[in-house]
Amino acid sequence: MSLFTESLYFGQVVIGPPGSGKTIYCRGMQEFLSHLGRKVVVVNLDPANEGLPYPCAVDISELVTLDDVMDGLKLGPNGGLIYSMEYLEANLDWLESKLKHHHDCYFLFDCPGQVELYTHHNSVKNIFAQLSKWNFRLTAVHLVDSHYCADPAKFISVLCTSLSTMLHVELPHVNVLSKMDLIEQYGKLAFSLDFYTEVLDLTYLVEHLSLDPFFKKFHHLNVKLAEVIQDYSLVSFVPLNVQDKESMTQVLRTVDKANGYCFGDQEERNLQAMMSAAVGADFQFSTTLSVQEKYMEATGKTVEDEVMDV
């Protein structure tokens, strides 16, 4: 009989491509939740993670590490990560024995960054399914670097990857555009921020992409990809700046709504106190929410004007 039979356990599985900010997100969310009074533990499921910046309650490196797999089996990084996840799947009793020591906690699972693990391979999907059988109510938080918004071709690719991940992982899903505090460094966006977060009519994006002579010959392919994304009508994004309390609150509330977590009155009071104290603190208050306005002010255009320019 499973060790998890009496209570529900809530948490997040943090996934996304390498460099999308998963580990930084886990550290920031752990600190944020701790200030709210939520007892939280972080579980590192990435065998390639070294020098973790957060206190780690369960670490897969005690079971398997990527370096050992690559050296012992003469595999590359991708093959090593796949083997490591298959090894964890075959030793779920180890994971169960580690998790059982943390009762009444909220869990953050820091996962590997190899995209294929969430779009084609089944081991991670099976691990998540087993966690669900152990009464874990999890939300998949899929981080995507916001710099992809500055390149229409890459953004369409990100949309396809996000959709494939949502369909394959089979968990309540929240897509997040990370590093919003750095988005202005990546260049001018072709459209307003809402266009990317809400994934509005992709026809405009395809037409904008066809202005590039290189991508013009792929116009028909891009049209079909856009149709697939819009036919499912599943992909949207929540903007995130881990230094912005409003942004973190928005992400947390979206995640809690997705997995059914209901916080108590004390946590709500802590959240209100934290937000009221944010003005004048060292957080970049409202930075994320002002990105769109900055673009509009710089160009002197409205959203409709930008669409008409295409």
Side-chain angles (χ1 to χ4, degrees), residues 234-251:
L234 291 175
V235 183
S236 62
F237 295 93
V238 180
L240 172 68
N241 171 8
V242 294
Q243 300 182 46
D244 180 2
K245 291 180 180 180
E246 282 191 344
S247 178
M248 291 290 282
T249 300
Q250 181 184 12
V251 171

Side-chain angles (χ1 to χ4, degrees), residues 12-178:
Q12 307 173 27
V13 290
V14 184
I15 61 180
S20 58
K22 297 184 296 299
T23 298
I24 297 300
Y25 171 86
C26 287
R27 182 184 67 180
M29 184 58 71
Q30 182 187 41
E31 294 177 354
F32 187 73
L33 291 172
S34 296
H35 284 300
L36 294 183
R38 193 179 299 189
K39 187 178 178 182
V40 57
V41 296
V42 182
V43 179
N44 175 42
L45 295 184
D46 186 356
N49 260 349
E50 297 180 355
L52 295 172
Y54 49 72
C56 185
V58 180
D59 192 347
I60 192 178
S61 66
E62 297 177 13
L63 178 70
V64 60
T65 66
L66 181 60
D67 288 341
D68 289 342
V69 171
M70 292 173 61
D71 292 341
L73 299 179
K74 307 304 179 184
L75 294 173
N78 290 340
L81 279 172
I82 290 176
Y83 177 87
S84 297
M85 290 300 101
E86 291 176 344
Y87 190 77
L88 176 59
E89 182 187 4
N91 292 274
L92 285 173
D93 54 338
W94 173 86
L95 181 61
E96 184 180 22
S97 67
K98 293 292 185 179
L99 295 177
K100 73 174 183 178
H101 298 295
H102 304 282
H103 297 287
D104 301 322
C105 292
Y106 187 90
F107 291 82
L108 298 174
F109 293 87
D110 190 358
C111 299
Q114 187 179 358
V115 173
E116 292 81 2
L117 291 172
Y118 313 105
T119 59
H120 295 83
H121 199 256
N122 286 327
S123 287
V124 172
K125 173 184 175 181
N126 293 338
I127 293 169
F128 293 165
Q130 185 59 56
L131 288 170
S132 297
K133 292 179 181 178
W134 292 339
N135 284 339
F136 281 81
R137 299 296 179 261
L138 302 172
T139 296
V141 179
H142 183 217
L143 298 184
V144 174
D145 196 317
S146 60
H147 87 266
Y148 290 118
C149 295
D151 188 322
K154 291 181 180 178
F155 187 67
I156 289 180
S157 175
V158 161
L159 292 174
C160 292
T161 301
S162 299
L163 178 60
S164 179
T165 301
M166 294 175 74
L167 296 175
H168 186 73
V169 170
E170 297 180 349
L171 283 176
H173 202 98
V174 175
N175 292 303
V176 174
L177 281 177
S178 63

Side-chain angles (χ1 to χ4, degrees), residues 167-227:
L167 296 175
H168 186 73
V169 170
E170 297 180 349
L171 283 176
H173 202 98
V174 175
N175 292 303
V176 174
L177 281 177
S178 63
K179 306 179 184 178
M180 288 300 298
D181 52 320
L182 302 177
I183 191 171
E184 293 178 312
Q185 300 180 14
Y186 302 136
K188 183 181 180 297
L189 299 181
F191 304 100
S192 68
L193 184 61
D194 285 348
F195 182 91
Y196 300 93
T197 57
E198 300 301 325
V199 189
L200 303 177
D201 190 350
L202 294 181
T203 302
Y204 298 116
L205 189 64
V206 172
E207 293 300 326
H208 183 79
L209 189 61
S210 66
L211 297 176
D212 188 321
F214 177 79
F215 292 107
K216 188 174 184 179
K217 58 184 176 181
F218 300 111
H219 178 73
H220 185 66
L221 173 62
N222 290 327
V223 168
K224 293 303 179 183
L225 290 174
E227 288 178 356

